[in-house]
Amino acid sequence: MPETKRLYYDDAYLTEFDADVVEAREHEGRPAVVLDRTAFYPESGGQPWDTGTLGGAAVVAVLDLEDGAILHILDRAIAGGRVRGLVDRPARFDHMQQHTGQHVLSQAFWEVLKGETRSFHLGPEVSTLEIGLAAAADPDLDRVEDRANAVVWEDRVVKTYYVPEERIGEVPLRRPPKKQGLLRVVEVDGFDYSACGGTHVRRTGEIGLVRLGPAEKIRGNLRFDFLCGGRALRDYRQKDRSARKLAGTFSCAAAGVAAQVEKLGAEHKALKKRARKLEERLAAFEAGEVIRSAPGRVISAVLEDRTPDEARFLALNVIKGGEFAVAYGAPGEGQGHLIAARSDTFKADLRGLVPVVAAVVPVKGGGGPSLIELVFPDKQRLREAVDAAAAWLRENT
Ligand SMILES: [Zn+2]
């Protein structure tokens, strides 16, 4: 198959072109074409393919074939002959910003921390850069980010030229080339030299901003998220809005939000502990009331306004306070709970109660001889379940 002429090599800003279809085929069940020339970038070197249209059909993927031909995979078949290609311009420019930003960031990592770039991936939301460093402190990462942005603001020219393989030693490449033959060198004027086939901006100023994100440890290296240009702006806008909203809620400056949230978390923890203590005291007090008005040794009720935890706590306090057997129903989150408990003086095994209740309402759960807890999907039938349990307790205790 003839090699496809790569128009993006000479002009990364070209997004409209005409070309001839030189072959039409199928690729995994979809129509696909090879053109004599194309401005569509095929997925390679960590940069995703371009999208757009070809002869009116949507370009869903662009692949680099081994013989130098580029395959455009389409959503529908197109007529052969001359076709017009339209590359999605905002998406292409976004890729150019991220990709050129990566060159600058990679060289900044090398210059400042001697961190080598191991891999790069341009993702749909964030891009990642794997750097050969085992650890890095925030002030060091700030220096890397500052250096990268200084190079962006110097608005250096990004040059592209070709060097034969045998003379590539004269170019101070950041990484040894992966390809052979005539090598395409992308130079961020006097700062970074890379052998690269990707699409780049003309001047570093177009990168706008380089923002280094969080890192994770991987294969003994650090893999950083990073954002450039429009992505960095959108990220800043979104974070600034949330920070301002939170600051308004706390009536503090945006920078003080983290401290406020920490304080609130500590207060919440202390309050939960205090609430638990009060619940315990209340349950002990309530158990006294329940015992005083008990109709007999079996006490049963549906506690509509209690959580299952509160009902269990009350039941345990009642059986501690005297010779009683208790059946309480409490509505849980979407489910009904039945708690049955008895004093140690009664010998009945409460597990015998489970099939009796199950005959009335379908239940799950179980327990031990002196305490069981059953759950059933229909909260409306709490009363029936409690009555069945109470009847069993009266017969068996
Ligand atoms: Zn590149």
Side-chain angles (χ1 to χ4, degrees):
M1 186 162 317
E3 237 179 78
T4 308
K5 183 170 169 47
R6 296 163 193 247
L7 301 171
Y8 58 82
Y9 271 176
D10 300 326
D11 185 0
Y13 295 81
L14 179 75
T15 52
E16 289 185 41
F17 66 102
D18 293 306
D20 288 325
V21 175
V22 294
E23 194 187 304
R25 59 159 90 166
E26 270 215 346
H27 181 87
E28 292 171 357
R30 285 180 183 272
V33 294
V34 176
L35 308 173
D36 62 338
R37 45 192 237 135
T38 188
F40 280 96
Y41 184 80
E43 179 178 37
S44 65
Q47 183 177 331
W49 60 65
D50 286 325
T51 52
T53 61
L54 204 54
V59 175
V60 295
V62 188
L63 304 178
D64 209 344
L65 302 180
E66 276 174 15
D67 52 10
I70 292 176
L71 190 65
H72 305 75
I73 299 155
L74 308 171
D75 71 333
R76 61 183 170 81
I78 55 170
R82 199 99 177 131
V83 287
R84 169 135 275 235
L86 300 171
V87 176
D88 179 341
R89 192 188 294 259
R92 157 63 73 82
F93 186 67
D94 168 57
H95 292 171
M96 285 154 67
Q97 282 188 319
Q98 311 311 313
H99 192 139
T100 318
Q102 176 260 312
H103 283 232
V104 172
L105 194 53
S106 283
Q107 179 59 25
F109 261 113
W110 175 247
E111 208 186 77
V112 177
L113 301 177
K114 291 288 171 274
E116 276 180 44
T117 293
R118 302 267 195 253
S119 72
F120 154 62
H121 177 73
L122 204 172
E125 307 284 334
V126 292
S127 303
T128 56
L129 195 58
E130 190 177 328
I131 301 289
L133 290 173
D138 280 347
D140 287 335
L141 296 176
D142 288 351
R143 287 197 295 136
V144 171
E145 197 179 59
D146 286 345
R147 179 63 177 137
N149 283 290
V151 170
V152 168
W153 301 332
E154 283 160 12
D155 198 23
R156 297 194 190 206
V157 174
V158 180
K159 298 180 246 184
T160 301
Y161 46 87
Y162 293 85
V163 177
E165 190 186 350
E166 55 275 15
R167 290 189 52 203
I168 198 68
E170 296 166 23
V171 182
L173 288 184
R174 179 162 37 79
R175 299 172 85 185
K178 284 184 194 150
K179 295 191 174 172
Q180 289 157 348
L182 196 61
L183 296 164
R184 184 176 190 250
V185 175
V186 176
E187 178 188 340
V188 175
D189 191 27
F191 178 67
D192 182 60
Y193 301 79
S194 297
C196 182
T199 55
H200 309 87
V201 293
R202 284 187 203 104
R203 303 187 72 101
T204 58
E206 289 180 68
I207 299 167
L209 181 73
V210 178
R211 176 74 181 113
L212 205 48
E216 64 171 325
K217 286 187 180 169
I218 182 166
R219 298 180 278 266
N221 299 325
L222 289 177
R223 187 170 65 192
F224 293 89
D225 283 355
F226 73 94
L227 301 168
C228 300
R231 293 187 185 196
L233 172 65
R234 287 191 293 277
D235 182 63
Y236 174 64
R237 185 182 287 149
Q238 186 228 326
K239 283 179 181 152
D240 183 47
R241 281 199 180 127
S242 354
R244 275 190 282 168
K245 199 171 163 194
L246 284 169
T249 308
F250 289 117
S251 304
C252 69
V257 167
Q260 289 288 339
V261 170
E262 220 165 277
K263 196 177 142 206
L264 203 65
E267 278 173 13
H268 178 71
K269 208 171 151 189
L271 279 173
K272 261 174 86 173
K273 211 170 150 185
R274 175 95 185 119
R276 181 90 195 152
K277 280 229 168 81
L278 289 172
E279 269 172 23
E280 282 172 23
R281 280 166 61 183
L282 182 65
F285 172 78
E286 266 197 315
E289 291 289 300
V290 169
I291 289 167
R292 262 190 292 284
S293 58
R297 66 184 192 288
V298 175
I299 297 164
S300 72
V302 173
L303 308 173
E304 287 291 356
D305 56 348
R306 304 302 167 91
T307 66
D309 276 347
E310 288 166 350
R312 187 188 323 107
F313 218 62
L314 182 58
L316 291 174
N317 273 280
V318 170
I319 62 168
K320 214 160 63 182
E323 290 184 10
F324 294 104
V326 182
Y328 279 146
E333 287 192 9
Q335 289 182 315
H337 285 242
L338 174 79
I339 292 117
R342 61 150 174 80
S343 303
D344 286 341
T345 43
F346 299 123
K347 295 301 167 210
D349 187 337
L350 296 190
R351 286 172 293 190
L353 186 156
V354 179
V356 176
V357 177
V360 181
V361 289
V363 292
K364 273 191 213 158
S370 61
L371 174 70
I372 57 158
E373 183 158 349
L374 302 175
V375 178
F376 44 98
D378 189 356
K379 274 201 284 200
Q380 309 307 319
R381 303 186 67 186
L382 266 175
R383 169 54 63 191
E384 282 172 71
V386 167
D387 287 347
W392 187 92
L393 290 173
R394 271 191 289 274
E395 265 173 46
N396 294 280
T397 56

